[in-house]
Amino acid sequence: MIKSYTVPTAEAEYFVQVYQENARIMSTQPGFVRSRLHRPLADAPETRFVHIADWSSGTALDRATTHPEWLASLRRMFDDPDLHITSEPAGYRVVVELHPS
């Protein structure tokens, strides 16, 4: 799963805190492999974070996204009046993978 989040840069640190709680819940779900949140090196008026999560299968991810505790956390994150988030989730498959030769 690759998902981007955009927030005003003034809210970026707070977003990271709120995001960690949401990610902690997902990390306890069956099939979770790992999750990374990337932040750009340069600041701009808005900060676009990129979240990359690895799951054992699409089925495991689908099940995890129906977990009530995670859904409540997600709702709190998007309903927080101190955060102005836009997000774009998408599923991807690897089409090129390189390793040292």
Side-chain angles (χ1 to χ4, degrees):
M1 168 62 77
I2 298 175
K3 188 173 191 175
S4 67
Y5 297 94
T6 303
V7 298
T9 296
E11 299 172 8
E13 293 303 322
Y14 180 57
F15 168 75
V16 171
Q17 292 173 16
V18 172
Y19 168 85
Q20 286 179 358
E21 172 60 19
N22 186 267
R24 182 200 59 76
I25 294 166
M26 281 304 246
S27 72
T28 66
Q29 301 306 304
F32 174 83
V33 176
R34 75 174 173 179
S35 175
R36 294 170 289 158
L37 183 66
H38 301 262
R39 181 179 181 166
L41 297 174
D43 280 335
E46 291 188 324
T47 300
R48 184 174 187 181
F49 291 91
V50 176
H51 167 232
I52 301 172
D54 296 323
W55 290 83
S56 62
S57 70
T59 302
L61 173 61
D62 290 343
R63 283 190 197 124
T65 60
T66 64
H67 190 276
E69 184 183 9
W70 180 77
L71 289 170
S73 173
L74 189 66
R75 235 180 337 275
R76 283 191 304 275
M77 187 167 72
F78 280 93
D79 290 346
D80 189 321
D82 295 323
L83 279 176
H84 302 89
I85 304 170
T86 57
S87 106
E88 298 175 26
Y92 292 84
R93 63 184 165 84
V94 176
V95 294
V96 175
E97 184 171 344
L98 301 173
H99 298 277
S101 50

